[in-house]
Amino acid sequence: MFHRIRSYCLFGIKAVPVSVEVDASQGLPGFTLVGLPDNAVRESRERVVSAIRSIDKVVTGFRTTVNLSPADLRKEGSALDLPLAIGLLVATGEIEVPDLERLVFVGELSLDGLLKPVRGVLSVAMSLPDRKRDVLVVPRGNEREVRLVEGVRYVCADSLKECVGVLEKGAVSKAVSAAGLAAAHGAERGAGQGYACIQGIPDFKNVIGMEGVKRALEVAAAGAHNFLLVGSPGAGKSLCAKCLPGILPEMTDEEILETTRIHSCARAAGDMECFKPVMVRPIRTPHHSASMVSLVGGGVHLRPGEASMAHNGVLFLDELPEFNRSVLEALREPMEEGLISVSRASGTVVWPARFMMGAAMNPCPCGYAMDAKRSCTCLPEARKRYQEKISGPLLDRIDIQVSVPSVEASQFASGATISETSADIRKRVCEARALQRDRFKNLPFKTNAEMSSEAAKSFCRLSAATERFAISAADKMGLSARGYFRLLKVGRTIADLRGSPAVEILDLSEALRYRSFRS
């Protein structure tokens, strides 16, 4: 008897519909699986047969052929275990399932019939063509993901036995409608998942001195601009970067879904049981030994990299010159476009990668070229080679470049003045982001850093005198066309922090200070 079971497979972060076609007939017993399965899918037969045996059902003794359609798409992972088990049970007449064509199955089976969560279920829920008619059947460990998509009807089970029981009684009638992100968002906030409750983030009030650096990071956070901190070892570059999450605005519901979807598809096997929606902006800090695949994504199984995991958040690269040159150059396109496109023989995968690129570095190999107390021991040629590890095109994409001065020891005295808190800075950042949301509400970008050149001309509103100043400064500093428009974007952000509708000369003057550093 032939039956078709609906399911999904992941291609990048996209959920692709897959039909598990099962034909069980009388004849010489055997099992044939076709449709480009990988090893995990090919081994599913052993898991499925053992799981079915654990619920006192028998599907052996038939000539069984299983086709995974479409046949030209490579099927990976263990998410097809559950649809294969249901297909075998139905095709051999062991169970009868009403409204089978309305059910979509995803899940992994253990040998004793337990249902285990799988990655990418959020993408599957978001991809259902008819949320009012279709019913998604998933392991209970994936319920938190499904509940994020408003209106999706779903059924959860802990084991194959429980799942079969629900199906035989009519899964469509027992399906639950997901409340959506608003309800889950409120529950997470109530559980203390907001920025104010995150533990371990240093406060800017404890950072002594470096008011210029704090101001630069405030501007970067307000407009989602890329930034680079350059200074001597121990000057406080990494500390300031660790304080940055405390001044970032909360994520919108759309950003939460986008980011959670990427993290759901990128989960490793050990992370399946502890999934949580990404309610705060991700901060990714890969080590300088990271490979290109780990940073931009790809590999055998086409998983998202650190750049995509930092979508709507911050990708911070400490010790920037120590990264492999080719790895850094691979970030140039996503820094500009907000997307990463990886082409393989099986197709092209596109991952979102709209992140703030933050970095820190020393000015020279010994680190003391900018230090007022210690003299640099590097030869001029060595210093030049060190700084040339960061290419001009990459540096041109970094809007804010700041020198981090060393702090005098006298400022660490107990009676030293305490600077403003991260909460005070964050309030101004949120107000500036609110202005940008209103400004770009009908446009494809959300922050000043994302503006196109045409949009920058339109929204910066330069007077004749201010425009002359900007052009003259760009000529003297040798800014490229990209550098000029990025100067305007940073000036727009500074004006937003002041609450000004127009970009003035004082805004561009401050933005110019951030365009280069002196070693």
Side-chain angles (χ1 to χ4, degrees), residues 259-489:
T259 310
T260 303
R261 182 180 184 183
I262 297 171
H263 284 242
S264 171
C265 293
R267 280 188 295 168
D271 300 329
M272 293 299 180
E273 303 293 342
C274 55
F275 174 81
K276 290 183 180 180
V278 182
M279 294 294 186
V280 296
R281 298 190 181 276
I283 312 294
R284 308 296 295 190
T285 56
H287 191 260
H288 63 256
S289 62
S291 66
M292 185 183 299
V293 170
S294 68
L295 202 61
V296 301
V300 177
H301 299 291
L302 291 177
R303 298 287 179 88
E306 291 291 325
S308 292
M309 300 286 278
H311 183 61
N312 292 318
V314 180
L315 177 67
F316 183 70
L317 307 180
D318 204 359
E319 305 298 342
L320 186 65
E322 304 303 328
F323 282 81
N324 187 288
R325 176 73 175 258
S326 61
V327 172
L328 294 180
E329 298 307 304
L331 292 175
R332 283 158 53 175
E333 288 82 1
M335 288 172 66
E336 196 77 19
E337 304 295 333
L339 295 171
I340 291 177
S341 179
V342 177
S343 296
R344 295 291 183 267
S346 58
T348 300
V349 176
V350 178
W351 291 299
R354 179 66 67 184
F355 54 84
M356 282 176 60
M357 204 302 236
M361 62 177 283
N362 298 325
C364 64
C366 79
Y368 296 104
M370 298 169 56
D371 198 289
K373 297 181 179 179
R374 300 184 61 172
S375 57
C376 176
T377 59
C378 303
L379 295 174
E381 190 63 28
R383 188 185 311 173
K384 181 181 178 182
R385 284 198 306 269
Y386 185 79
Q387 294 187 359
E388 286 178 348
K389 290 182 178 180
I390 314 302
S391 69
L394 181 66
L395 204 59
D396 199 39
R397 287 168 167 83
I398 300 178
D399 305 338
I400 297 176
Q401 303 163 22
V402 187
S403 299
V404 181
S406 299
V407 180
E408 295 290 337
S410 59
Q411 297 186 41
F412 293 106
S414 58
T417 303
I418 297 178
S419 58
E420 62 181 345
T421 65
S422 293
D424 297 332
I425 300 174
R426 184 170 179 266
K427 183 179 178 181
R428 294 195 297 270
V429 168
C430 291
E431 290 172 353
R433 286 285 186 105
L435 290 175
Q436 294 167 53
R437 283 196 301 271
D438 292 340
R439 181 184 302 134
F440 306 135
K441 59 183 176 182
N442 296 321
L443 296 170
F445 32 80
K446 297 171 286 189
T447 62
N448 290 333
E450 299 176 41
M451 282 193 292
S452 62
S453 300
E454 294 78 8
K457 290 180 181 178
S458 173
F459 290 113
C460 287
R461 301 180 187 178
L462 298 182
S463 65
T466 306
E467 187 172 18
R468 286 195 299 271
F469 173 82
I471 294 174
S472 174
D475 287 339
K476 290 180 180 179
M477 295 185 66
L479 297 182
S480 64
R482 180 193 294 117
Y484 174 75
F485 285 111
R486 286 184 175 269
L487 173 68
L488 297 186
K489 295 175 189 179

